[in-house]
Amino acid sequence: MVAKYPNSLQDVIEGDIVGTGYHSLVKQLQNRIENVRRTSTPKIRKRKHQTDDSDHTDEIPLEERAAMQDIYGCIKWNVKFLPCEETQESQQQKMEKLKVMFQHSDANPEEVQCLMKSTFYTQRQHVNQGKSIKCLREEWPFCFDELGMSVHFKELTGIDLKETFIRNLDLKGKRLLNYMTTVCVNKSKKILQTYARLQRMRGQQSGCSDDVKEMILLLLSYFDEKEESMFFYVEDTCLAEEVQLEQVPLTPTIIVCGQSCYSSTRYMLSLDRNLINTNISSFISALCLMFGSYYCFNIHYPSELASTLEFLQRCFFSINPEKGTINPEKRTKVENKNLKRRLNVNPRVLTLSSP
């Protein structure tokens, strides 16, 4: 190994010595082996952001545009054929019907789910063609709603978005939070300071939702990632048109209406600096919509949130579990800004994910 990959092995060894000092060298070696074996993949031509009215990308075959980050975790990313009973005309009719139903608060949920499922082929075609978020929201408004996104996400990944998160939260949430507030606070001054700040903001509030907020904010601190990369805070009375979107990250961002996640009772969601959902009443719903957006709309994890999102993906959304055909230590949903460097999973994600 030293003879064939001298620099690679040296990087791993130095990373273990200079870094935190307690991450598993074996895991890092396994990581390095898998990364060396990994073949390169074509880069996708990403959709354009809303700087003009163009809603199309260059004419490049889909197979050449697809990057590993886009198809990662998906079982039906590119649906090649219409369902047997469907035609282009029937798909268009159903799309128009969904638009009308979205305007009515009393729309039948079961009918919406049925229509969303039967038009999944066309939804994927539009997403994979690189249509803008603005255009997608006009054509498929339910894709940005909790009900509709859950259908799309299930067809795309085979996983129930919110149900899977809540199930894993019941299994692991309390234990993880206890570990963060009893063990991690004694090992890291930064986490201790974050925990003290969160306790002051939380006050006497209790309950599952507040525990989830505390868990997410502590995870960001644990992985040394910035809260403002995931959350953007506005006044609790702020209207959608008053949000200063030019200050919001391009990636999926939860708009918190209030001084803190604890005091807020209303959330919004921004994608590509477009407000795609302006009335989310639950923090857990906002979190699931944010996470689901990365998969439904071919968005790579930003490097600023890579570890937190990867941990949530593995531990709470059950994507890339420990068993399966995909090596669990591969990082394939994170944006790669340096094309000459292959990315691997932060060892702290693997350590914290371990039973």
Side-chain angles (χ1 to χ4, degrees):
M1 288 178 66
V2 172
K4 195 166 184 180
Y5 306 110
N7 295 332
S8 299
L9 188 61
Q10 187 65 28
D11 288 344
V12 170
I13 294 172
E14 289 178 356
D16 192 68
I17 295 173
V18 178
T20 55
Y22 62 86
H23 299 315
S24 168
L25 180 59
V26 174
K27 282 187 176 180
Q28 293 185 61
L29 287 170
Q30 289 173 337
N31 253 1
R32 190 60 199 172
I33 290 169
E34 291 300 328
N35 286 327
V36 169
R37 287 176 179 169
R38 184 184 306 163
T39 57
S40 60
T41 54
K43 184 180 180 183
I44 194 170
R45 179 63 180 266
K46 303 306 290 179
R47 65 179 176 276
K48 296 177 181 179
H49 300 306
Q50 293 304 296
T51 55
D52 53 40
D53 295 329
S54 176
D55 286 333
H56 64 276
T57 53
D58 293 348
E59 291 296 326
I60 304 172
L62 189 62
E63 290 75 13
E64 294 181 21
R65 298 205 315 267
M68 186 182 295
Q69 290 95 332
D70 298 292
I71 63 176
Y72 177 68
C74 302
I75 60 174
K76 290 168 66 176
W77 183 81
N78 181 28
V79 186
K80 295 187 177 181
F81 304 104
L82 273 169
C84 294
E85 67 279 5
E86 291 289 333
T87 64
Q88 293 290 350
E89 290 74 19
S90 67
Q91 291 278 291
Q92 183 67 30
Q93 289 170 1
K94 290 180 178 181
M95 183 178 78
E96 295 300 328
K97 184 174 183 179
L98 281 166
K99 288 183 188 178
V100 174
M101 293 178 72
F102 188 77
Q103 302 300 322
H104 299 85
S105 58
D106 59 346
N108 187 324
E110 292 182 0
E111 186 178 5
V112 171
Q113 290 175 323
C114 184
L115 289 170
M116 285 294 294
K117 187 173 181 178
S118 64
T119 55
F120 178 74
Y121 166 86
T122 304
Q123 294 167 36
R124 288 314 304 167
Q125 294 294 308
H126 289 181
V127 171
N128 293 342
Q129 286 167 8
K131 290 197 173 186
S132 69
I133 290 296
K134 181 180 178 181
C135 179
L136 288 171
R137 188 167 185 262
E138 291 172 354
E139 294 182 341
W140 302 101
F142 273 112
C143 278
F144 302 89
D145 177 82
E146 189 172 358
L147 177 63
M149 185 182 287
S150 65
V151 176
H152 190 102
F153 189 86
K154 176 65 181 291
E155 290 293 306
L156 181 66
T157 66
I159 292 171
D160 292 303
L161 181 60
K162 191 173 182 179
E163 291 83 351
T164 300
F165 178 80
I166 292 175
R167 182 175 67 251
N168 284 320
L169 185 65
D170 291 339
L171 291 172
K172 310 169 187 177
K174 189 170 291 186
R175 181 177 55 174
L176 174 63
L177 187 58
N178 183 63
Y179 175 76
M180 300 287 288
T181 57
T182 58
V183 178
C184 295
V185 293
N186 293 319
K187 290 185 176 182
S188 167
K189 183 178 179 180
K190 181 179 180 180
I191 297 177
L192 177 60
Q193 291 173 339
T194 300
Y195 180 57
R197 176 175 61 86
L198 295 179
Q199 288 299 103
R200 289 194 297 271
M201 289 192 297
R202 181 169 180 172
Q204 301 299 316
Q205 297 182 75
S206 61
C208 176
S209 179
D210 291 303
D211 286 345
V212 175
K213 297 169 186 177
E214 187 166 290
M215 180 184 76
I216 297 298
L217 293 169
L218 285 173
L219 280 171
L220 287 167
S221 179
Y222 178 84
F223 292 120
D224 197 23
E225 294 177 337
K226 294 182 179 179
E227 188 176 330
E228 53 266 32
S229 296
M230 185 179 289
F231 302 103
F232 184 81
Y233 294 91
V234 297
E235 295 293 329
D236 56 355
T237 57
C238 182
L239 301 176
E241 56 270 21
E242 296 174 337
V243 178
Q244 296 178 326
L245 290 170
E246 68 278 2
Q247 299 179 16
V248 179
L250 281 166
T251 47
T253 304
I254 297 174
I255 310 295
V256 182
C257 301
Q259 293 184 343
S260 74
C261 289
Y262 295 113
S263 63
S264 178
T265 57
R266 183 170 62 96
Y267 306 88
M268 306 184 209
L269 185 65
S270 167
L271 269 68
D272 287 358
R273 295 189 178 125
N274 287 272
L275 288 178
I276 53 90
N277 195 320
T278 59
N279 190 24
I280 309 170
S281 59
S282 159
F283 179 83
I284 291 177
S285 294
L287 186 69
C288 290
L289 284 167
M290 177 208 66
F291 182 83
S293 297
Y294 283 100
Y295 288 82
C296 294
F297 306 113
N298 296 344
I299 302 172
H300 302 177
Y301 295 160
S303 56
E304 297 85 0
L305 287 175
S307 296
T308 301
L309 290 171
E310 282 178 332
F311 179 79
L312 291 174
Q313 163 206 306
R314 294 163 181 271
C315 190
F316 290 100
F317 291 100
S318 299
I319 297 176
N320 194 23
E322 290 302 313
K323 295 181 181 180
T325 56
I326 301 177
N327 187 284
E329 295 183 0
K330 283 187 177 181
R331 166 183 285 182
T332 51
K333 188 65 178 170
V334 181
E335 65 176 351
N336 190 353
K337 293 181 179 178
N338 184 352
L339 297 179
K340 295 182 180 180
R341 180 187 176 193
R342 293 188 179 95
L343 298 175
N344 56 285
V345 179
N346 181 346
R348 301 193 82 188
V349 173
L350 301 175
T351 302
L352 196 61
S353 300
S354 299

